[in-house]
Amino acid sequence: MTDTVRPCITFKDRAEEAVNLYVSLFPNSKVTNLVRVEADGGPIPKGKLLNATFTLDGREYLAFDGGESFTFSEGISLMVNCKTQAEVDKYWSSLIANGGEEGPCGWLKDRFGVSWQIVPEALGRMLSDPKSGNAEACMNAMLKMKKLDIATLEKAYKGAPVA
């Protein structure tokens, strides 16, 4: 029986570069172990990352390079809950830098192809509390955005016109 479930991210290539980027961005994060392939002849070339154990904001992950047969899809993503617009902006710009791509409604793909959701904590509150504001208007405002803008979402929630 296991006492923990942890995500394993299998990259086509560049897992070590991805892991180093991720731990540099998030607080309470670090690489805890790197194991490299020591011999040629297997599916992964000598010197490449066999696996890395790392922590992002206190949650443990495993990553490795798996070769050409591995790709990512939007079917799974890493969600970052942000307290402020400055956090949204920081994570958004850092994760799309150097070849990442923006997606709709706070979603993006980083330069390694991993999908992320950069979400203000306030959005969850607004969408789950239709009695205190207009959750539908907030949702409609969100659907028009790429990077989420807290002030615009709050305006919509409070019933103010949104451009």
Side-chain angles (χ1 to χ4, degrees), residues 3-9 19 22-24 26-33 52-63 76-81 116:
D3 59 357
T4 190
V5 174
R6 69 178 160 177
C8 178
I9 306 172
V19 167
Y22 303 159
V23 299
S24 75
F26 297 98
N28 192 25
S29 299
K30 64 182 177 181
V31 176
T32 52
N33 191 40
T53 304
F54 62 106
T55 304
L56 291 182
D57 200 17
R59 183 175 308 266
E60 189 177 73
Y61 293 79
L62 183 70
I76 191 161
S77 62
L78 301 176
M79 182 182 283
V80 181
N81 290 309
W116 295 79

Side-chain angles (χ1 to χ4, degrees), residues 72-93:
F72 296 112
S73 83
E74 292 81 7
I76 191 161
S77 62
L78 301 176
M79 182 182 283
V80 181
N81 290 309
C82 300
K83 292 185 186 331
T84 66
Q85 188 65 47
E87 284 184 348
V88 170
D89 296 345
K90 171 191 160 191
Y91 293 126
W92 187 269
S93 62

